[in-house]
Amino acid sequence: MPHRFKVREIAQQSGLSEATVDRVLNDRPGVRENTRAEVAQAIADLDKQRAQLRLNGRRYLIDVVMQTPQRFSDAFRAAVEAELPAFAPAMLRARFHLWESGSVAQMVDALGRLRGSHGVVLKAQDEPEVVEAVDRLVSSGVPVVTYTTDVPASSRCGYVGIDNHGAGVTAAYLVDQWLGFPRTRGAADAPPSDVLITLSRTVFRGEGEREVGFRSALRGSGRGIVEVSGSDGLDATNERLVLDALDRNPGVEAVYSVGGGNTATVAAFERLGRRCRVFVAHDLDADNRRLLRDGRISVVLHNDLRADARLALRLLLQERGALPAEPVRPVPIQVITPYNLPS
């Protein structure tokens, strides 16, 4: 049983004798299972108390660096700000570096200009230049956690977010089940409906993993997949791209939105008088809440942003030795419909 405490400390915390604690720690026979559990709990409690002492009065400045549509950055910013007080008695402050559209060079420059940071939560392109920028930060003593989309070749200390490949497979399952029958009623030999998949940029690894999962799960279904990318998830750009794709592909009756811009995608279908039978989106931002409530999209694959923020901040503090290490569990995917929409 690993620990960093004296036998006397564990005995005081557990209320057991030092001899009993010694027998448990050395795995000697004749010790009841509930006694072992009491010693394990005492060690866990001492770990938490030591962490509280380490945090007492400490100040940490965390940088959140993200290229993402404002609707998502607004939601994540609110989540981070809501979680900062939870790390008392430490005092955490956050600086936000957020933009909607930009180049890899802009991301590298933003990371290179950080000063006085105690940790970075990062949503960035998976490009060699970004890997190098992250490595420079880490080598200077600034831990980095990637969020929603990973940069796995870098020396970041962890990734927070859903299993993107699994999310794509889930989306494909929902689309295929809900589309079900051919688009022309009464025509048994009519081809299956096609699906539009929209991405913001192909340089984001998380979006690529979702797309791969989606395509692999629909393989053999006979459904065509039409891809639209390059919009940065912005409505103004996305509507033009979707209109063009729908004009060229009359068989599209479903959408898997990987990268956002859903208000524009819905508007494009309506402008052409086309029916979208199934629409699967990501993230429960303000736009998607409204679209879901109005019945204009079918389902949102979502994860709790406050839980994400809490985990990202915790990983940074763990890396700095301010909190004990805990195992990181995958973030579960929530399937949100108009009938289980959280308040």
Side-chain angles (χ1 to χ4, degrees), residues 27-41:
D27 202 24
R28 295 196 176 97
V31 180
R32 291 178 299 177
E33 201 57 42
N34 64 330
T35 302
R36 295 183 186 277
E38 288 180 59
V39 171
Q41 184 61 54

PDB file of all heavy atoms in Angstrom, residues 27-41:
ATOM      1  N   ASP A  27       1.468  -5.921   4.819  1.00  0.00           N
ATOM      2  CA  ASP A  27       0.674  -7.007   4.240  1.00  0.00           C
ATOM      3  C   ASP A  27       0.840  -8.313   5.013  1.00  0.00           C
ATOM      4  O   ASP A  27       0.986  -9.395   4.430  1.00  0.00           O
ATOM      5  CB  ASP A  27       1.056  -7.211   2.763  1.00  0.00           C
ATOM      6  CG  ASP A  27      -0.052  -7.915   1.996  1.00  0.00           C
ATOM      7  OD1 ASP A  27      -1.225  -7.829   2.432  1.00  0.00           O
ATOM      8  OD2 ASP A  27       0.245  -8.549   0.970  1.00  0.00           O
ATOM      9  N   ARG A  28       0.788  -8.198   6.336  1.00  0.00           N
ATOM     10  CA  ARG A  28       0.924  -9.398   7.154  1.00  0.00           C
ATOM     11  C   ARG A  28      -0.439 -10.082   7.278  1.00  0.00           C
ATOM     12  O   ARG A  28      -1.486  -9.435   7.183  1.00  0.00           O
ATOM     13  CB  ARG A  28       1.469  -9.046   8.531  1.00  0.00           C
ATOM     14  CG  ARG A  28       2.902  -8.499   8.472  1.00  0.00           C
ATOM     15  CD  ARG A  28       3.565  -8.519   9.841  1.00  0.00           C
ATOM     16  NE  ARG A  28       4.936  -8.087   9.744  1.00  0.00           N
ATOM     17  CZ  ARG A  28       5.366  -6.846   9.993  1.00  0.00           C
ATOM     18  NH1 ARG A  28       4.496  -5.926  10.361  1.00  0.00           N
ATOM     19  NH2 ARG A  28       6.640  -6.544   9.894  1.00  0.00           N
ATOM     20  N   PRO A  29      -0.450 -11.400   7.500  1.00  0.00           N
ATOM     21  CA  PRO A  29      -1.729 -12.125   7.589  1.00  0.00           C
ATOM     22  C   PRO A  29      -2.473 -11.806   8.884  1.00  0.00           C
ATOM     23  O   PRO A  29      -1.918 -11.233   9.827  1.00  0.00           O
ATOM     24  CB  PRO A  29      -1.289 -13.601   7.565  1.00  0.00           C
ATOM     25  CG  PRO A  29       0.125 -13.589   8.080  1.00  0.00           C
ATOM     26  CD  PRO A  29       0.726 -12.294   7.617  1.00  0.00           C
ATOM     27  N   GLY A  30      -3.754 -12.183   8.919  1.00  0.00           N
ATOM     28  CA  GLY A  30      -4.556 -12.039  10.117  1.00  0.00           C
ATOM     29  C   GLY A  30      -5.183 -10.670  10.287  1.00  0.00           C
ATOM     30  O   GLY A  30      -5.636 -10.336  11.393  1.00  0.00           O
ATOM     31  N   VAL A  31      -5.208  -9.862   9.216  1.00  0.00           N
ATOM     32  CA  VAL A  31      -5.813  -8.526   9.295  1.00  0.00           C
ATOM     33  C   VAL A  31      -7.137  -8.547   8.545  1.00  0.00           C
ATOM     34  O   VAL A  31      -7.219  -9.003   7.409  1.00  0.00           O
ATOM     35  CB  VAL A  31      -4.876  -7.464   8.682  1.00  0.00           C
ATOM     36  CG1 VAL A  31      -5.535  -6.085   8.767  1.00  0.00           C
ATOM     37  CG2 VAL A  31      -3.523  -7.457   9.385  1.00  0.00           C
ATOM     38  N   ARG A  32      -8.171  -8.060   9.208  1.00  0.00           N
ATOM     39  CA  ARG A  32      -9.491  -8.052   8.567  1.00  0.00           C
ATOM     40  C   ARG A  32      -9.531  -7.050   7.415  1.00  0.00           C
ATOM     41  O   ARG A  32      -8.834  -6.044   7.420  1.00  0.00           O
ATOM     42  CB  ARG A  32     -10.564  -7.707   9.595  1.00  0.00           C
ATOM     43  CG  ARG A  32     -10.793  -8.793  10.639  1.00  0.00           C
ATOM     44  CD  ARG A  32     -11.837  -8.359  11.651  1.00  0.00           C
ATOM     45  NE  ARG A  32     -11.408  -7.146  12.371  1.00  0.00           N
ATOM     46  CZ  ARG A  32     -12.155  -6.526  13.274  1.00  0.00           C
ATOM     47  NH1 ARG A  32     -13.370  -6.966  13.564  1.00  0.00           N
ATOM     48  NH2 ARG A  32     -11.687  -5.454  13.894  1.00  0.00           N
ATOM     49  N   GLU A  33     -10.423  -7.341   6.441  1.00  0.00           N
ATOM     50  CA  GLU A  33     -10.510  -6.503   5.245  1.00  0.00           C
ATOM     51  C   GLU A  33     -10.979  -5.093   5.578  1.00  0.00           C
ATOM     52  O   GLU A  33     -10.511  -4.108   4.981  1.00  0.00           O
ATOM     53  CB  GLU A  33     -11.466  -7.152   4.223  1.00  0.00           C
ATOM     54  CG  GLU A  33     -11.266  -6.666   2.798  1.00  0.00           C
ATOM     55  CD  GLU A  33      -9.842  -6.880   2.301  1.00  0.00           C
ATOM     56  OE1 GLU A  33      -9.253  -7.954   2.570  1.00  0.00           O
ATOM     57  OE2 GLU A  33      -9.324  -5.946   1.661  1.00  0.00           O
ATOM     58  N   ASN A  34     -11.895  -4.965   6.543  1.00  0.00           N
ATOM     59  CA  ASN A  34     -12.372  -3.616   6.876  1.00  0.00           C
ATOM     60  C   ASN A  34     -11.276  -2.796   7.561  1.00  0.00           C
ATOM     61  O   ASN A  34     -11.238  -1.569   7.458  1.00  0.00           O
ATOM     62  CB  ASN A  34     -13.634  -3.670   7.744  1.00  0.00           C
ATOM     63  CG  ASN A  34     -13.384  -4.304   9.093  1.00  0.00           C
ATOM     64  OD1 ASN A  34     -12.514  -5.160   9.232  1.00  0.00           O
ATOM     65  ND2 ASN A  34     -14.143  -3.880  10.096  1.00  0.00           N
ATOM     66  N   THR A  35     -10.345  -3.468   8.247  1.00  0.00           N
ATOM     67  CA  THR A  35      -9.213  -2.763   8.849  1.00  0.00           C
ATOM     68  C   THR A  35      -8.278  -2.235   7.759  1.00  0.00           C
ATOM     69  O   THR A  35      -7.791  -1.095   7.837  1.00  0.00           O
ATOM     70  CB  THR A  35      -8.432  -3.693   9.799  1.00  0.00           C
ATOM     71  OG1 THR A  35      -9.316  -4.185  10.801  1.00  0.00           O
ATOM     72  CG2 THR A  35      -7.269  -2.965  10.454  1.00  0.00           C
ATOM     73  N   ARG A  36      -8.045  -3.043   6.739  1.00  0.00           N
ATOM     74  CA  ARG A  36      -7.238  -2.587   5.597  1.00  0.00           C
ATOM     75  C   ARG A  36      -7.896  -1.373   4.931  1.00  0.00           C
ATOM     76  O   ARG A  36      -7.221  -0.415   4.541  1.00  0.00           O
ATOM     77  CB  ARG A  36      -7.067  -3.707   4.574  1.00  0.00           C
ATOM     78  CG  ARG A  36      -6.266  -4.893   5.079  1.00  0.00           C
ATOM     79  CD  ARG A  36      -6.075  -5.936   3.977  1.00  0.00           C
ATOM     80  NE  ARG A  36      -5.425  -7.132   4.508  1.00  0.00           N
ATOM     81  CZ  ARG A  36      -4.114  -7.263   4.659  1.00  0.00           C
ATOM     82  NH1 ARG A  36      -3.319  -6.243   4.320  1.00  0.00           N
ATOM     83  NH2 ARG A  36      -3.594  -8.359   5.143  1.00  0.00           N
ATOM     84  N   ALA A  37      -9.228  -1.425   4.819  1.00  0.00           N
ATOM     85  CA  ALA A  37      -9.954  -0.313   4.215  1.00  0.00           C
ATOM     86  C   ALA A  37      -9.824   0.954   5.053  1.00  0.00           C
ATOM     87  O   ALA A  37      -9.709   2.067   4.507  1.00  0.00           O
ATOM     88  CB  ALA A  37     -11.425  -0.677   4.033  1.00  0.00           C
ATOM     89  N   GLU A  38      -9.835   0.820   6.380  1.00  0.00           N
ATOM     90  CA  GLU A  38      -9.688   1.984   7.260  1.00  0.00           C
ATOM     91  C   GLU A  38      -8.305   2.625   7.092  1.00  0.00           C
ATOM     92  O   GLU A  38      -8.179   3.856   7.075  1.00  0.00           O
ATOM     93  CB  GLU A  38      -9.890   1.572   8.712  1.00  0.00           C
ATOM     94  CG  GLU A  38     -11.332   1.238   9.079  1.00  0.00           C
ATOM     95  CD  GLU A  38     -11.450   0.831  10.544  1.00  0.00           C
ATOM     96  OE1 GLU A  38     -11.077   1.656  11.406  1.00  0.00           O
ATOM     97  OE2 GLU A  38     -11.883  -0.306  10.799  1.00  0.00           O
ATOM     98  N   VAL A  39      -7.284   1.798   6.949  1.00  0.00           N
ATOM     99  CA  VAL A  39      -5.935   2.333   6.758  1.00  0.00           C
ATOM    100  C   VAL A  39      -5.831   3.032   5.397  1.00  0.00           C
ATOM    101  O   VAL A  39      -5.260   4.125   5.277  1.00  0.00           O
ATOM    102  CB  VAL A  39      -4.884   1.214   6.884  1.00  0.00           C
ATOM    103  CG1 VAL A  39      -3.507   1.717   6.465  1.00  0.00           C
ATOM    104  CG2 VAL A  39      -4.855   0.679   8.307  1.00  0.00           C
ATOM    105  N   ALA A  40      -6.398   2.418   4.367  1.00  0.00           N
ATOM    106  CA  ALA A  40      -6.369   3.031   3.032  1.00  0.00           C
ATOM    107  C   ALA A  40      -7.084   4.375   3.030  1.00  0.00           C
ATOM    108  O   ALA A  40      -6.618   5.345   2.424  1.00  0.00           O
ATOM    109  CB  ALA A  40      -7.014   2.090   2.009  1.00  0.00           C
ATOM    110  N   GLN A  41      -8.226   4.456   3.730  1.00  0.00           N
ATOM    111  CA  GLN A  41      -8.967   5.710   3.804  1.00  0.00           C
ATOM    112  C   GLN A  41      -8.173   6.764   4.572  1.00  0.00           C
ATOM    113  O   GLN A  41      -8.169   7.947   4.201  1.00  0.00           O
ATOM    114  CB  GLN A  41     -10.325   5.485   4.474  1.00  0.00           C
ATOM    115  CG  GLN A  41     -11.215   6.719   4.508  1.00  0.00           C
ATOM    116  CD  GLN A  41     -11.541   7.228   3.120  1.00  0.00           C
ATOM    117  OE1 GLN A  41     -12.039   6.479   2.280  1.00  0.00           O
ATOM    118  NE2 GLN A  41     -11.245   8.493   2.858  1.00  0.00           N
TER     119      GLN A  41
END
